[in-house]
Amino acid sequence: MSQAERLGLPSSPPPLPPSPFSDRGLTLTDGKGTRHCGGAITGRLTFPLLSVTLLVSFGSSTLYGYNLAVVNAPAASIKAFYNATWSQRYGHGLAPGPLTLLYSLTVSFFALGGLLGSVLVGVLVARYGRNGTLSRSTLLVLLAGASMGFSRDLGSPEMVIFGRSVMGVHSGICLSVVPLYLGEIAPKSLRGLLGLVPSIFICLGVFLAQVLGLPELLGEDRYWPLLLSVVVVPAFLQFLLLRCFPESPRYLLIERNNVHGATEALRRFLGTADVQDEIEEMREEQRALSSVETLSVWQLLRDRSVRWQTLSVAVVNAGMQLSGIDAIWFYTNTIFKDAGIPVPQIPYVTVGTGAVEIIAGLIGAALPGMRYVAVACVVGIIAGFCTGPAGVPFLLTAELFTQAHRPAAYIVGGSLNWLSNFTVGFVFPFLQMSAGAFCYLFFCGVCLLVAIYVYLVIPETKNKTFVEISQIFAARRSFLSAPAQLIRMMKLSGYGALDNSSLEGLSPQLL
């Protein structure tokens, strides 16, 4: 018997269960019939599945990208409004330093709202489901849009900051719930593809904010409240149409034990009456979690069985924001002005960066696998970010955890994401004033470190079930724990403390 066998460790990684999906190729089902598109991608991309993906991406993810960039074009107008209001109230205007501070708070309070929204995700999805949470969250957009839209008429800068905060709460909820919903309704072979659609719409939202901010459209001084409040249009569309689609089948079966509802939802999304394989896969996960309750954040952080998954989610989410992308989106005009670009040309150059983001996002959706994010981190901030990191962290969270761990994992990842977002948005203007162009060296270092971690630690998740991905991490933990057990045994050798029989009962969980 080998040393590893006496330690109770597997001599090789445990075999993965057979996939319940056959290699059927990509089949698109819509009103024109069913078309087979080859065997490169397995699963069925049906019209309902595609429709709900586009709907929640447009009605939720687009708003996140839009609100990242919308404060850039009217920055001078908003500052002038703050200064004029302050002068009316107190008889004097604001000095440049306090005015920059007040505007930085307007920008970064969006992130504080996002932090609150990400903390609420676990409670909301458990009570209302994934679809129900997205539907109800649109009410926040209507409130925020009204607050920002009437702020100038009522002479209240506080309404702008409040509206930005509420929009942050909405984005904090949706950035977690959209990939969670799509990850649970999509076949495993299409999970990565559909999960990256929201990242494309985030880039589209940034582009729309840049285009609408042109002087010929809503970029004039009198239109900036309308520019901030136009977010109510896609949100209202999602509110009207999302109720036409069913709830997540995994949520219905695993958390609500509603087999009939889960079956009907699967039939609707997959476009077939034969969903037994998918039901059995979810049953397997339900049986594995039968003795495990949904974990809290503290329980997740203490659970050693998912420590690598939790660390990976933390690194990728924090690294995404600390890459510097938010600094570019928040302060594009200021950056280009400092770079020497003539002021009249800046809005059009900014729109050009938005076009690059959309193209890069489409390229990212076409690239195979998950590990390309390691390369994307160092390609370039804008193109590299939209090619991979823009959507991968939220998709990755859905794939690395089973149902019991997933809500808490989204809270951890989302909290770090928004805290990093707030830090960059608030600190960057002052960092740029003190360090100039050298401030980007910090962002380059973060990108490099995250890329190395992703390449070395995170496995490929393409075409794997949630259970299979968990087994890969379990095998990795067993492999990493073997040297420690062997060293521990060597230290005890010769002291008579342990013999071979006692070593056979040693468990990897004692590490």
Side-chain angles (χ1 to χ4, degrees):
M1 181 179 295
S2 66
Q3 297 281 31
E5 291 173 332
R6 284 198 293 268
L7 290 170
L9 301 174
S11 56
S12 61
L16 300 177
S19 171
F21 295 92
S22 59
D23 190 10
R24 295 174 291 191
L26 176 60
T27 303
L28 178 61
T29 304
D30 55 17
K32 300 180 180 179
T34 302
R35 302 187 297 278
H36 189 76
C37 303
I41 302 177
T42 61
R44 300 174 64 88
L45 182 57
T46 63
F47 183 73
L49 188 59
L50 180 61
S51 299
V52 74
T53 300
L54 295 177
L55 177 61
V56 298
S57 298
F58 176 70
S60 296
S61 302
T62 301
L63 302 188
Y64 169 64
Y66 187 88
N67 281 282
L68 284 176
V70 72
V71 292
N72 177 60
S77 299
I78 295 176
K79 289 180 180 179
F81 166 65
Y82 286 176
N83 201 28
T85 304
W86 194 274
S87 179
Q88 292 174 1
R89 290 182 181 180
Y90 305 105
H92 61 86
L94 285 165
L99 184 59
T100 300
L101 177 62
L102 185 59
Y103 182 73
S104 297
L105 289 176
T106 304
V107 172
S108 55
F109 262 53
F110 174 72
L112 288 185
L115 175 61
L116 176 60
S118 65
V119 171
L120 296 175
V121 164
V123 176
L124 294 175
V125 297
R127 181 171 182 178
Y128 300 113
R130 285 61 167 150
N131 184 300
T133 298
L134 289 175
S135 297
R136 289 168 173 81
S137 67
T138 56
L139 300 177
L140 295 173
V141 182
L142 302 181
L143 174 63
S147 178
M148 294 184 292
F150 292 106
S151 59
R152 186 176 62 178
D153 294 335
L154 298 178
S156 175
E158 295 84 359
M159 292 178 66
V160 180
I161 298 176
F162 173 76
R164 289 279 297 171
S165 303
V166 174
M167 281 305 308
V169 175
H170 171 267
S171 294
I173 294 171
C174 293
L175 273 184
S176 295
V177 180
V178 168
L180 176 61
Y181 184 43
L182 297 182
E184 291 185 354
I185 67 176
K188 64 176 182 179
S189 54
L190 297 177
R191 196 185 307 137
L193 176 64
L194 297 185
L196 286 176
V197 172
S199 68
I200 298 175
F201 276 82
I202 291 174
C203 298
L204 178 62
V206 173
F207 182 69
L208 287 176
Q210 293 166 344
V211 171
L212 292 178
L214 290 175
E216 294 83 357
L217 298 176
L218 301 180
E220 294 186 12
D221 178 71
R222 56 177 175 167
Y223 290 136
W224 68 261
L226 179 59
L227 181 65
L228 296 182
S229 60
V230 75
V231 290
V232 300
V233 176
F236 186 69
L237 182 65
Q238 176 179 285
F239 180 76
L240 291 179
L241 298 180
L242 191 55
R243 63 186 66 189
C244 300
F245 297 93
E247 183 54 81
S248 161
R250 305 187 75 86
Y251 169 78
L252 293 173
L253 192 147
I254 297 177
E255 297 189 29
R256 295 299 182 186
N257 202 29
N258 185 353
V259 180
H260 175 73
T263 302
E264 292 301 317
L266 279 171
R267 288 173 177 171
R268 175 81 183 280
F269 283 129
L270 301 184
T272 177
D274 182 14
V275 294
Q276 190 59 37
D277 288 341
E278 289 79 3
I279 291 292
E280 285 303 318
E281 178 192 330
M282 289 187 286
R283 285 285 198 188
E284 178 185 353
E285 185 174 345
Q286 186 184 42
R287 286 191 292 270
L289 299 174
S290 59
S291 59
V292 180
E293 297 181 357
T294 301
L295 275 68
S296 66
V297 172
W298 179 242
Q299 290 171 325
L300 174 72
L301 296 177
R302 296 184 60 188
D303 190 345
R304 303 182 68 182
S305 67
V306 292
R307 56 187 173 184
W308 279 109
Q309 291 97 311
T310 305
L311 180 60
S312 298
V313 166
V315 169
V316 174
N317 274 276
M320 178 180 73
Q321 300 298 342
L322 295 178
S323 67
I325 187 63
D326 285 323
I328 292 178
W329 279 335
F330 289 151
Y331 304 105
T332 308
N333 287 9
T334 302
I335 293 172
F336 286 158
K337 182 179 179 181
D338 292 343
I341 296 178
V343 174
Q345 300 178 11
I346 288 178
Y348 306 97
V349 177
T350 300
V351 171
T353 65
V356 171
E357 292 161 9
I358 294 178
I359 295 172
L362 293 173
I363 294 174
L367 292 176
M370 184 69 71
R371 282 196 172 185
Y372 74 83
V373 66
V375 180
C377 282
V378 294
V379 169
I381 294 183
I382 293 179
F385 179 82
C386 293
T387 305
V392 168
F394 308 104
L395 172 63
L396 190 68
T397 306
E399 293 194 332
L400 294 189
F401 294 91
T402 57
Q403 200 81 5
H405 298 82
R406 205 170 291 138
Y410 269 108
I411 294 175
V412 172
S415 299
L416 288 173
N417 187 303
W418 287 105
L419 281 173
S420 302
N421 185 305
F422 172 80
T423 301
V424 172
F426 184 74
V427 172
F428 180 77
F430 303 99
L431 183 64
Q432 188 183 34
M433 285 190 294
S434 60
F438 292 102
C439 67
Y440 298 104
L441 293 178
F442 168 77
F443 300 131
C444 291
V446 171
C447 290
L448 179 61
L449 293 176
V450 173
I452 294 173
Y453 178 90
V454 171
Y455 184 79
L456 294 178
V457 176
I458 300 179
E460 182 54 71
T461 60
K462 183 180 180 181
N463 288 336
K464 293 181 176 64
T465 66
F466 299 115
V467 175
E468 289 172 343
I469 295 170
S470 296
Q471 288 180 338
I472 293 175
F473 274 102
R476 179 165 294 183
R477 287 193 303 272
S478 297
F479 175 78
L480 292 174
S481 64
Q485 289 281 23
L486 293 173
I487 292 174
R488 190 174 300 176
M489 187 187 67
M490 292 172 61
K491 288 183 178 180
L492 293 172
S493 178
Y495 289 90
L498 294 174
D499 56 20
N500 289 341
S501 61
S502 63
L503 287 173
E504 294 178 357
L506 205 58
S507 171
Q509 275 71 32
L510 294 178
L511 287 178

